[in-house]
Amino acid sequence: MNERSKLTDATPIRTLPDSQAVTEVQHYTDRLFRFRVTRPASLRFRSGEFVMIGLMGDPDPKTGRQKPLLRAYSIASPSWDEELEFYSIKVADGPLTSKLQHIKPGDPLILRPKPVGTLVHDALLPGKRLWFFATGTGIAPFASLLRDPQTFDDYDQIILTHTCRDVAELTYGREVVESLRSDEMMRELLGDAIEKLVYYPTTTREQSPKMGRITTLLEDGTVFRDLGIDCISAQTDRAMVCGSIGLNLDIKRILEGFGLREGANSEPAEYVVEKAFVG
Ligand code: A2P
């Protein structure tokens, strides 16, 4: 499955409060899709932040009134992009994603323009090597950060790890990484700095060149051997983590075992965590 639809000038646009219009939808698998929406002119955000987005819920059976159904979604597009991109799971009985998976170009989407989040450069102390640890749709904030030249200015090496169940679920991340080299705008912004990026995708349920959870591959030293690099240390390494609750907890434990401390906007340190938002 790889269906893609785009907004054309002929597509009518309906409006809601805080409403933006869907401009493009691409389905990767029966569990994953990406979509783009118009960006409010006043919206400024830092790469890695999230916003609340959603749709109107079903009418209340008694009053007939509809309430917005909102969830936190990491912005996957870079801050210089004129549209906003989101990457989402589809959950058959998820209150929002059961509806969201059917959006089409031209449809309205509610977007509260108040970006927040901890996966931002400001929450980390300066370092030499930056790790992005993602599972599933947790790659979304890193898709934004990877297209932000500051990421490449601030570090000597950037390592993106992405663990998914199967190969098809890696497609979005792989395409973002490939676009850093093929997209004219990205080539202009990054130049040779793109060579600082190391992409380390792994699968857990389907055969691929690198199998296993990233947590296991860190704990048994496989990642360091594969990449020919030193172990993680608090002096040189910084990390951002975004995935399932299990991944977030396990990576926290591993990073703290290497001596890294959790940071926040108000108190930068060596690593930061955000949970991947699904629903
Ligand atoms: P696994 O297949 O072993 O559960 P999901 O699709 O359920 O969100 O999972 C995405 C990926 O994250 C899967 O490859 C899954 O591996 C992996 N994963 C789930 N929990 C953890 C964890 N605690 N540490 C590392 N990887 C995890």
Side-chain angles (χ1 to χ4, degrees):
M1 181 192 294
N2 201 335
E3 296 159 29
R4 190 169 181 159
S5 38
K6 270 191 135 166
L7 186 68
T8 64
D9 289 344
T11 322
I13 295 173
R14 287 174 284 140
T15 53
L16 288 170
D18 276 342
S19 176
Q20 299 302 316
V22 175
T23 59
E24 189 178 341
V25 183
Q26 185 172 6
H27 293 270
Y28 291 94
T29 68
D30 56 5
R31 293 206 319 143
L32 294 168
F33 71 120
R34 148 189 103 89
F35 52 95
R36 291 175 72 83
V37 302
T38 52
R39 176 173 174 173
S42 60
L43 177 65
R44 298 275 171 276
F45 66 95
R46 294 177 296 172
S47 304
E49 288 188 312
F50 64 84
V51 285
M52 302 300 290
I53 64 170
L55 299 170
M56 290 309 277
D58 292 331
D60 182 291
K62 287 199 189 117
T63 63
R65 287 177 60 177
Q66 286 175 279
K67 280 205 238 146
L69 205 52
L70 300 172
R71 292 286 181 275
Y73 268 80
S74 291
I75 302 172
S77 46
S79 51
W80 48 261
D81 198 333
E82 60 190 26
E83 292 182 340
L84 297 173
E85 180 167 302
F86 299 97
Y87 182 50
S88 179
I89 194 144
K90 309 177 202 174
V91 182
D93 56 359
L96 178 62
T97 64
S98 59
K99 295 176 190 292
L100 195 62
Q101 62 183 286
H102 301 297
I103 53 170
K104 298 178 304 305
D107 285 352
L109 183 103
I110 305 167
L111 188 150
R112 301 273 189 251
K114 293 194 180 58
V116 283
T118 55
L119 298 185
V120 290
H121 285 302
D122 297 343
L124 291 178
L125 293 170
K128 292 199 173 313
R129 193 163 64 178
L130 177 62
W131 295 79
F132 290 147
F133 293 110
T135 56
T137 54
I139 195 164
F142 305 137
S144 175
L145 282 153
L146 282 170
R147 292 180 275 192
D148 179 345
Q150 188 188 347
T151 303
F152 292 82
D153 288 345
D154 287 0
Y155 293 91
D156 296 342
Q157 189 171 44
I158 299 104
I159 303 173
L160 167 67
T161 84
H162 191 199
T163 300
C164 290
R165 295 181 188 190
D166 54 45
V167 173
E169 294 187 342
L170 291 170
T171 308
Y172 176 75
R174 184 174 40 75
E175 286 181 358
V176 167
V177 169
E178 283 169 4
S179 77
L180 300 179
R181 287 180 191 276
S182 62
D183 185 276
E184 207 175 308
M185 172 80 154
M186 286 314 314
R187 284 219 309 263
E188 209 171 290
L189 284 173
L190 299 184
D192 292 343
I194 182 64
E195 303 308 329
K196 295 180 177 182
L197 177 65
V198 176
Y199 174 47
Y200 193 83
T202 83
T203 57
T204 50
R205 303 195 193 182
E206 186 188 6
Q207 197 63 41
S208 76
K210 184 51 65 178
M211 299 278 305
R213 289 182 168 196
I214 190 63
T215 40
T216 312
L217 301 169
L218 280 169
E219 285 183 308
D220 69 10
T222 304
V223 180
F224 309 113
R225 280 195 300 278
D226 284 348
L227 302 181
I229 57 174
D230 292 338
C231 207
I232 292 177
S233 90
Q235 282 67 48
T236 52
D237 292 80
R238 302 293 172 260
M240 295 191 182
V241 187
C242 191
S244 64
I245 293 169
L247 170 95
N248 291 351
L249 290 174
D250 288 349
I251 294 263
K252 262 169 93 96
R253 180 179 45 76
I254 293 169
L255 293 177
E256 292 190 359
F258 286 126
L260 277 63
R261 295 162 307 142
E262 184 167 2
N265 276 275
S266 54
E267 201 173 353
E270 288 93 26
Y271 79 92
V272 279
V273 180
E274 197 94 80
K275 98 182 189 19
F277 304 98
V278 296

